[in-house]
Amino acid sequence: MNFMESCVFKGGLSFVGGGVLGGAMGLVLSSFGNPYSPEFLAGEVKMTTKEQFRAVWKDMLGRMKFHARQFAIIGGVFATVECGVERYRAKRDAMSSVTAGCITGAGLSARAGPSAAAFGCVGFAAFSLVIDSFYE
């Protein structure tokens, strides 16, 4: 087995790819938000064009960082767990994706309690099954 087939490499690559995709998604989604304070919108505070640009830029970077971090974590954890499940089962099929989805969903939502972990498991497993069936 070479390094490119290792679970660490696949997880790292998904971490980086998820971060890039999340950053792009944050950029797009920041255009739907409102970076201005309620005081500015009510006309109580005046901002120069430069100050407005800085406020928009700060909001945009914050959303990009948030989404990049979330997508990177989800992508890295899912790819690493899926690779581990496939190695353990010695086969690549939909069951591996569903199992990895359940483990990832439960693990990422476990801090919120057991019911959230169960819901995360079911939701992520169902999403993994839909995506896997879509590609096959």
Side-chain angles (χ1 to χ4, degrees):
M1 174 178 74
N2 63 13
F3 179 70
M4 304 260 304
E5 293 176 359
S6 72
C7 291
V8 173
F9 178 76
K10 289 179 180 180
L13 189 63
S14 293
F15 181 84
V16 171
V20 170
L21 180 66
M25 190 153 191
L27 177 65
V28 170
L29 292 177
S30 68
S31 65
F32 297 112
N34 185 7
Y36 299 117
S37 67
E39 294 84 16
F40 175 76
L41 294 174
E44 299 168 5
V45 177
K46 301 292 181 194
M47 293 173 70
T48 65
T49 303
K50 188 175 184 178
E51 291 171 334
Q52 290 178 25
F53 179 77
R54 282 189 181 157
V56 170
W57 183 252
K58 185 178 176 183
D59 178 67
M60 185 170 43
L61 285 180
R63 289 179 194 239
M64 287 174 66
K65 287 178 187 177
F66 173 78
H67 287 287
R69 182 175 57 243
Q70 297 302 320
F71 274 65
I73 291 170
I74 290 170
V77 170
F78 180 79
T80 304
V81 170
E82 184 181 34
C83 180
V85 168
E86 287 174 356
R87 291 267 162 82
Y88 180 77
R89 294 184 68 229
K91 62 169 85 169
R92 178 172 170 71
D93 59 357
M95 190 62 180
S96 296
S97 294
V98 170
T99 304
C102 180
I103 293 169
T104 302
L108 292 177
S109 59
R111 286 191 292 172
S115 61
F119 187 74
C121 170
V122 170
F124 228 99
F127 182 74
S128 298
L129 181 63
V130 168
I131 295 299
D132 205 41
S133 65
F134 177 73
Y135 280 113
E136 288 185 13

